[in-house]
Amino acid sequence: MKHVITLLAGTTVGCAAVLAFAVPASAATAAPIDAKPGVAISIKPSYTDDVQGATRFTVPSGMTIDRIVSSGGADATAGCGAFTADRTAITCGTSTTVQNATDYLFAVATASDKAQYGIRNATIAVTDGAGAVTASTDFSIRFVPAPPVVTGVAYDAEGTATITGTGVPGNTVDVRNYSTPVTTVTIGADGTFSVELPAGIRGLVVLNQGDGTGYSSSASSVMVTPPVPTPIIAPAVAGGAGVLAVALAGIALYRRRAAGA
């Protein structure tokens, strides 16, 4: 029986974000799965009917499969075969394993910090008990930069903000005030960046890390709220106010005494 499988990018494991779209069998028109360096994503096949056989997960170079997890959340790596030397592929399950929409395995994979940004293809294949492929699908993984990390916001005496942060040396950080472009800076060789915002920038500032080839990270954001300056009263003005207060108090006292006479 020929089985049709659909690739799902499911909830990521640990502190990673949630990927919530499906990739159909035709990878040519499918939206690629974004994989950020150092952030784990889960790759899960979903079957239109029960499949008895093994599932082979293969990911592109620049990414490694960390482990295999069952639908119940248990680590199932020990029940699989051996990883390839570069940990880009592993075959799991046997002819006695039934995998369907409620009982499946998924691979947890992580992109390397040195992964070249861009789109590359990967596959998931299902085999029968004899090892023959009964279904397979190609899908795309797009390696994109991780968001820049904002480490601080400082204000000068005029309320102008300077944002500092970290990222990949040589990459750029695009800065926007809400949706309005502000400036672009280059991350230094030490992995840090600093950007002084033009005077008057207030509210949400959005930062994206890019590599100069069109691949951009998801956004980091920070609220710019310069402190309200404390009014400074000149000593001469303050002294004059004090003299006026004393004079008014004296006039009030004189009027009360005159009224009582």
Side-chain angles (χ1 to χ4, degrees):
M1 177 186 297
K2 182 178 180 180
H3 302 283
V4 178
I5 61 177
T6 300
L7 179 75
L8 299 177
T11 304
T12 56
V13 175
C15 62
V18 174
L19 301 177
F21 51 81
V23 180
S26 175
T29 58
I33 302 171
D34 279 351
K36 301 175 182 63
V39 178
I41 65 171
S42 62
I43 302 170
K44 178 180 68 178
S46 176
Y47 306 94
T48 58
D49 52 43
D50 290 353
V51 175
Q52 295 189 20
T55 302
R56 181 174 178 82
F57 298 91
T58 304
V59 297
S61 60
M63 172 174 269
T64 56
I65 300 174
D66 304 329
R67 59 192 183 279
I68 303 298
V69 181
S70 72
S71 57
D75 191 316
T77 311
C80 301
F83 284 104
T84 55
D86 56 5
R87 294 186 72 94
T88 61
I90 189 172
T91 300
C92 301
T94 66
S95 59
T96 59
T97 301
V98 177
Q99 299 174 6
N100 53 41
T102 59
D103 180 16
Y104 56 80
L105 300 175
F106 62 90
V108 180
T110 305
S112 165
D113 288 336
K114 297 181 180 180
Q116 292 183 338
Y117 304 134
I119 298 176
R120 292 193 288 282
N121 291 332
T123 60
I124 290 180
V126 178
T127 62
D128 61 17
V133 174
T134 58
S136 67
T137 189
D138 295 326
F139 62 98
S140 297
I141 292 178
R142 176 173 53 196
F143 296 128
V144 298
V149 177
V150 175
T151 57
V153 182
Y155 304 94
D156 64 15
E158 286 73 38
T160 300
T162 297
I163 299 175
T164 53
T166 60
V168 178
N171 279 359
T172 59
V173 176
D174 296 319
V175 183
R176 289 173 288 131
N177 185 201
Y178 293 95
S179 59
T180 302
V182 175
T183 188
T184 299
V185 297
T186 300
I187 300 171
D190 62 351
T192 66
F193 67 88
S194 177
V195 53
E196 180 178 330
L197 301 178
I201 295 293
R202 301 287 189 275
L204 184 68
V205 173
V206 180
L207 304 96
N208 293 82
Q209 184 175 182
D211 69 338
T213 61
Y215 295 101
S216 181
S217 72
S218 55
S220 294
S221 62
V222 63
M223 291 298 295
V224 172
T225 54
V228 177
T230 302
I232 299 176
I233 302 175
V237 174
V243 171
L244 177 60
V246 171
L248 290 174
I251 292 171
L253 177 61
Y254 172 79
R255 287 178 175 173
R256 286 198 299 272
R257 289 179 177 178

